[in-house]
Amino acid sequence: METEDEWPPHRRTLTLPPPARPTPLEPAGPPPARTARRTMIGAAVAALLTAGVLVVLPQTRIGGGQDAPPPAPGPAARALTAVGAGAPAAAADLTALIADRRAWVRTHPSDDASWAVLGSAYLGRGLRAADSSYFPRAEWALRRSLAVRPAARGNADAQLGLAALANARHDYGAARTLAEEVRRRDPKRWTVYPVLIDAYGGLGDLKGASRSVEQLLDLRGGSVALAEAGAVYRERGWREDAAATLAEAAAYATTPVQKADCLRQLGDLAWDRGEPAEALAQHSAALRTDPGGHAALAGKARAELALGRTTAARHDYAAAVAHQPRPEYLLELGELYESLGLGADADAQYARLRARAASDDGHGVSDALVLGRFEADHGAPESAVARLRAQWRRAPSAAVADALGWALYRTGESEEGLVFAKQAAEKGGRSALFSYHRGVLERELGQSGPARRDLEEALRTNPYFSPLLVPKAREGLEGLGEPAEGGPKDVYGYVPDPPTGSASPRKRKQ
């Protein structure tokens, strides 16, 4: 029996007709929408639903004169549509598309378009399963496509596929370069902008990501474009806009997998805001919509833990890492075990994290950020600093700045660490974890006023952000005590007493 790793395969199975130029597009959806931090972006959707607007599909005639809807597309055709639109697809559909295109290019090796589809399908399959072993296969197929027809001769699909692959490998600089070349040749090609948005976000260029969102929405409506916009709004801390946009994206989703991905993002957004009950509801809805969406399982586990449902959280985390062993999930599960005093179980997850990162590295994926976070708290902080400094040079994002600042604190370099922690905030990073790290650094440097403010902000933003760190944040606040009457001097500056007999208000010393 043929296995996925055999190439070329020994059997020929062809289920789709040969595509002359497979460029399937997601249904257009709503008209493109320009938005600048609008909080009522979903009003039009609600109005349509309230009015009971129906979309009537073409009908076909069957025996007896009865009408019947057209047959639903098969799994390979569904995946082909999703791949063309840059949308998520079901694992079974992607597997069917891979088998189909492999069979076709075996006898039609000069079909550059099918090679590009095959490469993008491999990439989608790897992302869906969190299995980086698909990435070399994706690269091989995409480069075969470019060998048949170079990008300079119009093969933008394969070049964009390589750019998306670079994003998946966290090589955001390469992704930006490849995607910008496509945009220069064809600025109206809407599929370039989701790739650019991911690349700019990874590089910490949120303004560039926002500009690309506006360009995308000018060119394209629908679930994919709106979901990209919602993700950028979340990164920028525009949470009301993000929630409205993601809800609209879910309403316009054309497949269960797309809708579930939007619901998962809504769950992550609720978690950012410290709303575990809402996060649980959204992640549970995502899993009902797409039971194979295991990323929602990890989000569900976070929410369950915050709500005191520890047994359910452990079960769901274990299921999540069994199906999608992402290093960040392994770190979260390890820290959950550690918070429960289960040191051996925690160490087992940390060992799996190291093994997964080593496997990813062999497939061209850099897990520097999550490895740096892990080493800073559970391994070798000096190694974390070296790793994160290198990552900062490659991709100076808010997340890397925060992680590097914390690693520097763990090695006793708190002054430089605070510089990076503040850069995380300046780059737009908004999270309870960032505020906690900044508060601890300020407390270490004797800046009790700012430390109190940032530790309070961490707990106010999300009082459940980490099973290990939340108790430390509360202890840190208690250790700082109450602010002095009139406000702490290191926040407000020295305030002299007014001259005797003066009724003038006190002025802050500059």
Side-chain angles (χ1 to χ4, degrees), residues 4 74-84 86-102 117-129 134 257:
E4 176 61 36
R78 289 195 301 266
L80 187 66
T81 300
V83 165
D93 292 355
L94 288 164
T95 299
L97 179 59
I98 288 169
D100 183 88
R101 291 300 90 185
R102 282 173 51 166
V117 168
L118 177 60
S120 294
Y122 273 133
L123 173 58
R125 188 69 183 86
L127 291 171
R128 178 76 172 178
Y134 283 93
V257 176

Side-chain angles (χ1 to χ4, degrees), residues 129-205:
D131 185 352
S132 59
S133 69
Y134 283 93
F135 293 173
R137 303 179 226 186
E139 181 176 5
W140 171 74
L142 291 165
R143 293 197 183 282
R144 282 291 299 268
S145 178
L146 288 168
V148 174
R149 186 164 68 104
R153 289 171 48 199
N155 194 354
D157 290 337
Q159 184 159 344
L160 281 178
L162 283 178
L165 175 61
N167 277 331
R169 285 171 159 167
H170 305 150
D171 187 357
Y172 302 110
R176 178 184 60 187
T177 298
L178 289 165
E180 284 181 344
E181 286 178 0
V182 175
R183 181 174 61 178
R184 280 194 293 271
R185 287 192 293 265
D186 186 2
K188 297 297 184 181
R189 179 181 287 269
W190 73 269
T191 52
V192 73
Y193 292 99
V195 182
L196 276 175
I197 290 165
D198 291 348
Y200 287 140
L203 291 168
D205 183 0

Side-chain angles (χ1 to χ4, degrees), residues 251-508:
Y252 281 108
T254 58
T255 68
V257 176
Q258 288 181 38
K259 182 173 183 177
D261 188 63
C262 297
L263 294 171
R264 176 192 61 77
Q265 291 190 64
L266 282 167
D268 290 342
L269 180 62
W271 175 254
D272 292 345
R273 300 167 69 158
E275 301 171 354
E278 175 66 14
L280 179 60
Q282 295 289 357
H283 286 302
S284 297
L287 287 166
R288 288 193 299 271
T289 305
D290 174 26
H294 301 294
L297 264 178
K300 183 169 177 275
R302 288 185 209 107
E304 288 166 335
L305 183 62
L307 294 170
R309 305 174 190 176
T310 305
T311 301
R314 290 174 61 179
H315 176 272
D316 284 336
Y317 260 129
V321 300
H323 292 96
Q324 283 192 336
R326 299 182 188 276
E328 55 268 35
Y329 298 167
L330 294 166
L331 178 56
E332 289 178 28
L333 180 54
E335 290 185 341
L336 167 57
Y337 286 141
E338 191 172 337
S339 73
L340 298 173
L342 303 173
D345 291 327
D347 289 342
Q349 300 307 315
Y350 297 153
R352 290 182 67 190
L353 187 159
R354 287 193 175 99
R356 170 57 57 171
S359 174
D360 284 349
D361 185 65
H363 300 136
V365 179
S366 170
D367 290 320
L369 177 57
V370 68
L371 275 174
R373 287 174 169 164
F374 163 71
E375 294 289 355
D377 282 327
H378 310 286
E382 294 80 6
S383 171
V385 169
R387 191 185 304 275
L388 290 165
R389 283 194 191 279
Q391 184 67 10
W392 174 254
R393 290 191 290 271
R394 291 190 296 267
S397 68
V400 175
D402 167 74
L404 178 53
W406 184 248
L408 287 164
Y409 160 74
R410 298 286 291 175
T411 60
E413 302 174 71
S414 296
E415 289 188 7
E416 187 182 5
L418 183 56
V419 172
F420 280 101
K422 289 182 175 179
Q423 284 201 50
E426 291 167 2
K427 282 182 167 290
R430 298 288 184 269
S431 82
L433 181 64
F434 291 7
S435 297
Y436 169 77
H437 286 163
R438 199 163 57 247
V440 171
L441 280 156
E442 290 160 341
R443 185 188 62 189
E444 179 72 12
L445 295 170
Q447 301 176 17
S448 59
R452 184 181 296 105
R453 177 197 64 211
D454 285 325
L455 291 175
E456 287 177 344
E457 181 180 330
L459 293 170
R460 183 172 58 252
T461 301
N462 185 355
Y464 320 99
F465 69 90
S466 165
L468 283 178
L469 301 181
V470 164
K472 295 181 180 180
R474 298 191 187 282
E475 292 170 8
L477 271 176
E478 291 175 4
L480 288 169
E482 295 297 324
E485 184 178 353
K489 293 180 179 180
D490 53 1
V491 173
Y492 301 113
Y494 172 62
V495 182
D497 291 329
T500 303
S502 170
S504 61
R506 294 197 293 179
K507 295 182 180 179
R508 184 177 304 166

